[in-house]
mmCIF file of all heavy atoms in Angstrom:
data_model
loop_
_atom_site.group_PDB
_atom_site.id
_atom_site.type_symbol
_atom_site.label_atom_id
_atom_site.label_comp_id
_atom_site.label_asym_id
_atom_site.label_seq_id
_atom_site.Cartn_x
_atom_site.Cartn_y
_atom_site.Cartn_z
ATOM 1 N N HIS A 184 -4.860 -2.126 -3.957
ATOM 2 C CA HIS A 184 -3.995 -3.233 -4.396
ATOM 3 C C HIS A 184 -4.137 -4.488 -3.538
ATOM 4 O O HIS A 184 -4.679 -4.442 -2.432
ATOM 5 C CB HIS A 184 -2.527 -2.785 -4.457
ATOM 6 C CG HIS A 184 -1.957 -2.300 -3.153
ATOM 7 N ND1 HIS A 184 -1.592 -3.157 -2.130
ATOM 8 C CD2 HIS A 184 -1.653 -1.059 -2.714
ATOM 9 C CE1 HIS A 184 -1.093 -2.456 -1.126
ATOM 10 N NE2 HIS A 184 -1.132 -1.172 -1.441
ATOM 11 N N ASP A 188 -2.524 -2.512 2.393
ATOM 12 C CA ASP A 188 -1.872 -2.010 3.601
ATOM 13 C C ASP A 188 -2.671 -0.814 4.142
ATOM 14 O O ASP A 188 -3.786 -0.527 3.669
ATOM 15 C CB ASP A 188 -0.407 -1.637 3.297
ATOM 16 C CG ASP A 188 -0.285 -0.599 2.188
ATOM 17 O OD1 ASP A 188 -1.323 -0.074 1.727
ATOM 18 O OD2 ASP A 188 0.858 -0.292 1.788
ATOM 19 N N ASP A 254 -3.942 3.397 -4.977
ATOM 20 C CA ASP A 254 -2.655 2.981 -4.403
ATOM 21 C C ASP A 254 -1.969 1.891 -5.218
ATOM 22 O O ASP A 254 -1.204 1.116 -4.682
ATOM 23 C CB ASP A 254 -2.839 2.547 -2.930
ATOM 24 C CG ASP A 254 -1.551 2.641 -2.134
ATOM 25 O OD1 ASP A 254 -0.739 3.538 -2.421
ATOM 26 O OD2 ASP A 254 -1.344 1.810 -1.227
ATOM 27 N N ASN A 256 -0.304 1.102 -9.498
ATOM 28 C CA ASN A 256 0.055 1.742 -10.762
ATOM 29 C C ASN A 256 -0.110 0.850 -11.988
ATOM 30 O O ASN A 256 0.144 1.278 -13.104
ATOM 31 C CB ASN A 256 1.523 2.207 -10.698
ATOM 32 C CG ASN A 256 2.458 1.058 -10.368
ATOM 33 O OD1 ASN A 256 2.005 -0.052 -10.074
ATOM 34 N ND2 ASN A 256 3.746 1.310 -10.423
ATOM 35 N N HIS A 259 -2.086 -5.452 -12.814
ATOM 36 C CA HIS A 259 -1.699 -6.741 -12.222
ATOM 37 C C HIS A 259 -1.518 -6.624 -10.702
ATOM 38 O O HIS A 259 -1.552 -7.627 -9.986
ATOM 39 C CB HIS A 259 -0.429 -7.297 -12.879
ATOM 40 C CG HIS A 259 0.825 -6.565 -12.511
ATOM 41 N ND1 HIS A 259 1.551 -6.888 -11.383
ATOM 42 C CD2 HIS A 259 1.452 -5.515 -13.085
ATOM 43 C CE1 HIS A 259 2.576 -6.065 -11.296
ATOM 44 N NE2 HIS A 259 2.543 -5.217 -12.312
ATOM 45 N N ARG A 260 -1.377 -5.387 -10.203
ATOM 46 C CA ARG A 260 -1.243 -5.180 -8.753
ATOM 47 C C ARG A 260 -2.577 -5.389 -8.016
ATOM 48 O O ARG A 260 -2.618 -5.347 -6.790
ATOM 49 C CB ARG A 260 -0.686 -3.788 -8.458
ATOM 50 C CG ARG A 260 0.748 -3.593 -8.917
ATOM 51 C CD ARG A 260 1.745 -4.192 -7.955
ATOM 52 N NE ARG A 260 1.672 -3.572 -6.658
ATOM 53 C CZ ARG A 260 1.683 -4.241 -5.501
ATOM 54 N NH1 ARG A 260 1.722 -5.553 -5.488
ATOM 55 N NH2 ARG A 260 1.627 -3.595 -4.363
ATOM 56 N N HIS A 280 0.439 6.975 -6.158
ATOM 57 C CA HIS A 280 1.724 7.662 -6.033
ATOM 58 C C HIS A 280 2.927 6.773 -6.375
ATOM 59 O O HIS A 280 4.047 7.120 -6.018
ATOM 60 C CB HIS A 280 1.861 8.278 -4.638
ATOM 61 C CG HIS A 280 1.922 7.285 -3.512
ATOM 62 N ND1 HIS A 280 2.777 7.441 -2.445
ATOM 63 C CD2 HIS A 280 1.237 6.140 -3.272
ATOM 64 C CE1 HIS A 280 2.610 6.432 -1.597
ATOM 65 N NE2 HIS A 280 1.680 5.629 -2.078
ATOM 66 N N HIS A 281 2.688 5.622 -7.016
ATOM 67 C CA HIS A 281 3.822 4.756 -7.388
ATOM 68 C C HIS A 281 4.432 5.200 -8.720
ATOM 69 O O HIS A 281 3.757 5.803 -9.551
ATOM 70 C CB HIS A 281 3.378 3.296 -7.476
ATOM 71 C CG HIS A 281 3.010 2.714 -6.154
ATOM 72 N ND1 HIS A 281 1.747 2.793 -5.639
ATOM 73 C CD2 HIS A 281 3.766 2.107 -5.214
ATOM 74 C CE1 HIS A 281 1.726 2.222 -4.447
ATOM 75 N NE2 HIS A 281 2.942 1.810 -4.154
ATOM 76 N N ASP A 332 1.879 5.130 5.667
ATOM 77 C CA ASP A 332 2.781 5.207 4.505
ATOM 78 C C ASP A 332 3.981 6.131 4.738
ATOM 79 O O ASP A 332 4.971 6.036 4.016
ATOM 80 C CB ASP A 332 2.025 5.647 3.241
ATOM 81 C CG ASP A 332 1.898 4.497 2.245
ATOM 82 O OD1 ASP A 332 1.885 3.342 2.688
ATOM 83 O OD2 ASP A 332 1.820 4.748 1.018
ATOM 84 N N VAL A 417 11.070 -4.892 8.000
ATOM 85 C CA VAL A 417 12.207 -4.547 7.137
ATOM 86 C C VAL A 417 12.909 -3.274 7.619
ATOM 87 O O VAL A 417 14.122 -3.112 7.461
ATOM 88 C CB VAL A 417 11.743 -4.422 5.658
ATOM 89 C CG1 VAL A 417 10.712 -3.323 5.459
ATOM 90 C CG2 VAL A 417 12.924 -4.188 4.720
ATOM 91 N N LYS A 442 8.490 -13.694 -0.562
ATOM 92 C CA LYS A 442 8.044 -12.283 -0.687
ATOM 93 C C LYS A 442 9.190 -11.399 -0.186
ATOM 94 O O LYS A 442 9.744 -11.638 0.888
ATOM 95 C CB LYS A 442 6.764 -12.087 0.127
ATOM 96 C CG LYS A 442 6.313 -10.645 0.273
ATOM 97 C CD LYS A 442 5.646 -10.089 -0.984
ATOM 98 C CE LYS A 442 5.282 -8.613 -0.828
ATOM 99 N NZ LYS A 442 6.222 -7.662 -1.401
ATOM 100 N N ILE A 443 9.519 -10.415 -0.991
ATOM 101 C CA ILE A 443 10.673 -9.565 -0.670
ATOM 102 C C ILE A 443 10.223 -8.121 -0.485
ATOM 103 O O ILE A 443 9.450 -7.603 -1.295
ATOM 104 C CB ILE A 443 11.712 -9.629 -1.823
ATOM 105 C CG1 ILE A 443 12.118 -11.087 -2.075
ATOM 106 C CG2 ILE A 443 12.942 -8.771 -1.505
ATOM 107 C CD1 ILE A 443 12.902 -11.291 -3.359
ATOM 108 N N SER A 444 10.690 -7.489 0.595
ATOM 109 C CA SER A 444 10.494 -6.049 0.764
ATOM 110 C C SER A 444 11.863 -5.388 0.795
ATOM 111 O O SER A 444 12.773 -5.891 1.456
ATOM 112 C CB SER A 444 9.771 -5.733 2.066
ATOM 113 O OG SER A 444 8.412 -6.070 1.967
ATOM 114 N N LEU A 445 11.986 -4.274 0.093
ATOM 115 C CA LEU A 445 13.263 -3.564 -0.002
ATOM 116 C C LEU A 445 13.078 -2.120 0.443
ATOM 117 O O LEU A 445 12.088 -1.484 0.083
ATOM 118 C CB LEU A 445 13.763 -3.587 -1.458
ATOM 119 C CG LEU A 445 13.885 -4.966 -2.123
ATOM 120 C CD1 LEU A 445 14.163 -4.811 -3.618
ATOM 121 C CD2 LEU A 445 14.982 -5.784 -1.459
ATOM 122 N N ARG A 446 14.027 -1.617 1.222
ATOM 123 C CA ARG A 446 13.982 -0.225 1.662
ATOM 124 C C ARG A 446 15.373 0.376 1.533
ATOM 125 O O ARG A 446 16.370 -0.314 1.732
ATOM 126 C CB ARG A 446 13.561 -0.122 3.142
ATOM 127 C CG ARG A 446 12.182 -0.690 3.464
ATOM 128 C CD ARG A 446 11.054 0.147 2.882
ATOM 129 N NE ARG A 446 9.756 -0.324 3.300
ATOM 130 C CZ ARG A 446 9.049 -1.248 2.660
ATOM 131 N NH1 ARG A 446 9.507 -1.806 1.549
ATOM 132 N NH2 ARG A 446 7.857 -1.600 3.105
ATOM 133 N N PHE A 461 13.636 -8.832 -9.198
ATOM 134 C CA PHE A 461 12.721 -9.567 -8.332
ATOM 135 C C PHE A 461 11.250 -9.404 -8.733
ATOM 136 O O PHE A 461 10.363 -9.532 -7.893
ATOM 137 C CB PHE A 461 12.953 -9.187 -6.865
ATOM 138 C CG PHE A 461 14.305 -9.610 -6.349
ATOM 139 C CD1 PHE A 461 15.287 -8.669 -6.072
ATOM 140 C CD2 PHE A 461 14.606 -10.956 -6.195
ATOM 141 C CE1 PHE A 461 16.543 -9.058 -5.617
ATOM 142 C CE2 PHE A 461 15.863 -11.363 -5.744
ATOM 143 C CZ PHE A 461 16.833 -10.410 -5.455
ATOM 144 N N ASN A 462 11.033 -9.157 -10.022
ATOM 145 C CA ASN A 462 9.670 -9.202 -10.544
ATOM 146 C C ASN A 462 8.708 -8.317 -9.736
ATOM 147 O O ASN A 462 7.593 -8.708 -9.436
ATOM 148 C CB ASN A 462 9.212 -10.675 -10.504
ATOM 149 C CG ASN A 462 7.982 -10.913 -11.342
ATOM 150 O OD1 ASN A 462 7.686 -10.104 -12.229
ATOM 151 N ND2 ASN A 462 7.259 -11.969 -11.041
ATOM 152 N N GLY A 463 9.175 -7.132 -9.381
ATOM 153 C CA GLY A 463 8.345 -6.265 -8.541
ATOM 154 C C GLY A 463 8.470 -4.808 -8.924
ATOM 155 O O GLY A 463 8.677 -4.465 -10.088
ATOM 156 N N GLY A 464 8.347 -3.941 -7.929
ATOM 157 C CA GLY A 464 8.417 -2.501 -8.184
ATOM 158 C C GLY A 464 8.033 -1.738 -6.943
ATOM 159 O O GLY A 464 8.034 -2.277 -5.848
ATOM 160 N N GLY A 465 7.692 -0.469 -7.109
ATOM 161 C CA GLY A 465 7.300 0.363 -5.967
ATOM 162 C C GLY A 465 7.844 1.761 -6.122
ATOM 163 O O GLY A 465 7.640 2.395 -7.153
ATOM 164 N N HIS A 466 8.541 2.227 -5.100
ATOM 165 C CA HIS A 466 9.120 3.577 -5.106
ATOM 166 C C HIS A 466 10.639 3.486 -4.997
ATOM 167 O O HIS A 466 11.181 2.439 -4.687
ATOM 168 C CB HIS A 466 8.625 4.389 -3.914
ATOM 169 C CG HIS A 466 7.170 4.261 -3.632
ATOM 170 N ND1 HIS A 466 6.234 5.098 -4.199
ATOM 171 C CD2 HIS A 466 6.490 3.407 -2.846
ATOM 172 C CE1 HIS A 466 5.040 4.760 -3.755
ATOM 173 N NE2 HIS A 466 5.160 3.729 -2.934
ATOM 174 N N ALA A 469 11.288 2.496 -1.323
ATOM 175 C CA ALA A 469 10.478 1.399 -0.751
ATOM 176 C C ALA A 469 9.858 0.612 -1.886
ATOM 177 O O ALA A 469 9.056 1.147 -2.642
ATOM 178 C CB ALA A 469 9.380 1.945 0.162
ATOM 179 N N ALA A 470 10.253 -0.636 -2.015
ATOM 180 C CA ALA A 470 9.703 -1.444 -3.099
ATOM 181 C C ALA A 470 9.549 -2.880 -2.635
ATOM 182 O O ALA A 470 10.013 -3.255 -1.552
ATOM 183 C CB ALA A 470 10.605 -1.362 -4.326
ATOM 184 N N GLY A 471 8.897 -3.676 -3.453
ATOM 185 C CA GLY A 471 8.703 -5.082 -3.106
ATOM 186 C C GLY A 471 8.787 -5.937 -4.345
ATOM 187 O O GLY A 471 8.731 -5.434 -5.476
ATOM 188 N N GLY A 472 8.909 -7.225 -4.124
ATOM 189 C CA GLY A 472 8.951 -8.155 -5.249
ATOM 190 C C GLY A 472 8.897 -9.570 -4.736
ATOM 191 O O GLY A 472 8.534 -9.801 -3.577
ATOM 192 N N LYS A 473 9.231 -10.514 -5.618
ATOM 193 C CA LYS A 473 9.194 -11.917 -5.189
ATOM 194 C C LYS A 473 10.257 -12.730 -5.905
ATOM 195 O O LYS A 473 10.808 -12.301 -6.930
ATOM 196 C CB LYS A 473 7.808 -12.517 -5.417
ATOM 197 C CG LYS A 473 7.205 -12.273 -6.799
ATOM 198 C CD LYS A 473 5.748 -12.679 -6.774
ATOM 199 C CE LYS A 473 4.808 -11.874 -7.657
ATOM 200 N NZ LYS A 473 4.884 -10.441 -7.637
HETATM 201 P P1 LIG B 797 6.033 -3.658 0.775
HETATM 202 O O1 LIG B 797 7.481 -3.965 0.827
HETATM 203 O O2 LIG B 797 5.581 -2.885 1.968
HETATM 204 O O3 LIG B 797 5.190 -4.844 0.428
HETATM 205 O O4 LIG B 797 5.863 -2.677 -0.459
HETATM 206 C C1 LIG B 797 6.626 -1.529 -0.621
HETATM 207 C C2 LIG B 797 6.149 -0.789 -1.829
HETATM 208 O O5 LIG B 797 6.409 -1.542 -3.018
HETATM 209 C C3 LIG B 797 4.661 -0.533 -1.825
HETATM 210 O O6 LIG B 797 4.451 0.749 -2.341
HETATM 211 C C4 LIG B 797 4.071 -1.597 -2.714
HETATM 212 O O7 LIG B 797 2.920 -1.165 -3.341
HETATM 213 C C5 LIG B 797 5.214 -1.873 -3.687
HETATM 214 N N1 LIG B 797 5.266 -3.312 -3.990
HETATM 215 C C6 LIG B 797 5.368 -4.336 -3.098
HETATM 216 N N2 LIG B 797 5.401 -5.529 -3.705
HETATM 217 C C7 LIG B 797 5.319 -5.274 -5.025
HETATM 218 C C8 LIG B 797 5.302 -6.115 -6.199
HETATM 219 O O8 LIG B 797 5.372 -7.350 -6.129
HETATM 220 N N3 LIG B 797 5.191 -5.475 -7.385
HETATM 221 C C9 LIG B 797 5.130 -4.123 -7.502
HETATM 222 N N4 LIG B 797 5.037 -3.583 -8.715
HETATM 223 N N5 LIG B 797 5.147 -3.299 -6.429
HETATM 224 C C10 LIG B 797 5.231 -3.868 -5.207
#
Side-chain angles (χ1 to χ4, degrees):
H184 60 76
D188 58 6
D254 203 33
N256 56 354
H259 72 87
R260 293 280 298 136
H280 65 139
H281 292 89
D332 250 28
V417 62
K442 171 77 183 98
I443 304 168
S444 286
L445 306 171
R446 300 290 186 271
F461 294 110
N462 195 20
H466 317 270
K473 48 191 147 313

